[in-house]
Amino acid sequence: METRRALLVDAFTDEPLAGNVAGVVPDAAGLGDDRMGRVAAELGASETAFLFEAGDGADERVRYFTPSTEVDLCGHATIASYAALYAAGEIDAGERTLRTNVGDLSVRVDDDGTVWMRQNPPTVEAVDETALDADRLGDALGIDPAALRDVGADLPVAVASTGLPWLVVPVNFLERLGEAEPDAAAVEAISNAHDAAGIYAFTFDAIDAESTLHGRAFAPAVGVAEDPVTGTASGAVGAYLRSVDAFDGDFPEELRFEQGHFVDRPGHVRVRVEGDEVRVGGRAVVSTEGELTLPAE
C-alpha cells in the first residue's frame, strides 16, 4: 500500500509538546483533495501542511487543511514545515518562496533555525459598533462586556488581515481574557458575518515581562475551537496595532505575542511590521515522525 512520510511539529516553541502542533507532509505529490482532507483528519492537528514541487519562480507549493476543510494560509504550519525541513538538512538557511492559495510568499530560515514568514500586505478595517457591540461580543466570548468597553475607545474592534482575516478584539486585563468561555455557535456566526477565520482577543496585560501582549484565538468557523499559537492572526494583529497607533508613534522594532497558556500549550510569536511588510517568526520542534498508510484515491 502507498505510504507517505508524515510529521507532527510543535511550532512557536523551543520545547516539544508545547506551542501549536501542525501536521506536515513533506512530499504530497499526487495527493488529491479527498486524501489530503483524510490525512489531516487522521493527524488531528488544527492544520496540516502539504508540500509539493512548485516551479515557475517558487520553491514549494503549500496547501493547508484543517480536519474539516481547506484554509488558504496557516502561519504556524508554515513555520513548522520549514523548521522541520531545515532540521532534517533538506533545505539550507536563507530565503525561499512558497506558493499558497493567497499568492507567493517569502520565507527566511536563520542559521539558528528560526523561520520568518513574510505575509501579504495588510488590511485593517474598524468594525462599526452598531454592527457589533460589546454586549454581543462579550456574550459570544464569555467575557464581561465591560472588559471590552474599557479599552474600546482607544482600541477599536477591527477585521485585520495579512492573508487570512481575523476579527481583532481588545480586552482590558488578562484575568478577564482568561475567563473566556466562548459560545462556539455565536463565535462562528460573528466570524462568518465579518468574513473572518475567527476571533483573536488580546490584552497588553501579559504573563511574561518581555511579551507585548497575550492573545487567544477562537476559530470554530474553520473547525478550530481554540488555536494555541496563531501565526496568521499574529501578523494581522501586528498590522492592526500599527494602524490604530497603539504605541503613540513609537512602534517597536519587534513585537512578542504570547499565547496558548490557557490550553496548556504555551508559545510565542515574533512579529515585525515595517510599512506594508509584515513578518512573523518562530522556532519549531519535531515531536512525531513516521509513515502514514494512505487509502486509494
Side-chain angles (χ1 to χ4, degrees), residues 63-264:
R63 294 178 65 184
Y64 308 90
F65 284 76
T66 76
S68 61
T69 189
E70 183 174 10
V71 293
D72 289 337
L73 187 64
C74 177
H76 86 273
T78 302
I79 300 296
S81 298
Y82 283 90
L85 292 176
Y86 180 69
E90 296 177 28
I91 61 172
D92 297 325
E95 295 276 347
R96 300 186 72 81
T97 300
L98 71 150
R99 181 153 295 152
T100 73
N101 288 353
V102 297
D104 289 358
L105 303 175
S106 172
V107 169
R108 188 182 78 242
V109 184
D110 291 344
D111 290 335
D112 67 355
T114 299
V115 180
W116 290 93
M117 175 185 177
R118 187 172 69 187
Q119 301 186 322
N120 278 352
T123 60
V124 180
E125 294 186 18
V127 174
D128 193 321
E129 190 176 349
T130 59
L132 183 62
D133 60 24
D135 288 326
R136 185 182 174 199
L137 262 177
D139 288 345
L141 292 171
I143 296 175
D144 184 350
L148 309 182
R149 293 193 192 95
D150 194 32
V151 294
D154 298 320
L155 297 171
V157 173
V159 176
S161 176
T162 52
L164 191 67
W166 287 85
L167 186 68
V168 182
V169 179
V171 181
N172 59 359
F173 296 117
L174 182 65
E175 183 178 3
R176 301 285 83 81
L177 182 59
E179 292 170 348
E181 294 184 0
D183 178 333
V187 170
E188 182 173 355
I190 290 172
S191 301
N192 290 337
H194 294 276
D195 294 323
I199 295 176
Y200 185 99
F202 77 91
T203 177
F204 289 120
D205 182 23
I207 294 172
D208 296 333
E210 63 268 31
S211 294
T212 307
L213 58 79
H214 189 102
R216 297 183 70 180
F218 308 104
V222 293
V224 182
E226 179 168 0
D227 204 33
V229 194
T230 316
T232 53
S234 296
V237 172
Y240 162 88
L241 294 176
R242 178 179 281 281
S243 176
V244 301
D245 194 19
F247 300 97
D248 297 323
D250 188 21
F251 198 84
E253 180 179 336
E254 183 172 307
L255 309 169
R256 183 184 192 271
F257 296 173
E258 63 181 35
Q259 193 182 340
H261 297 69
F262 293 101
V263 289
D264 296 324

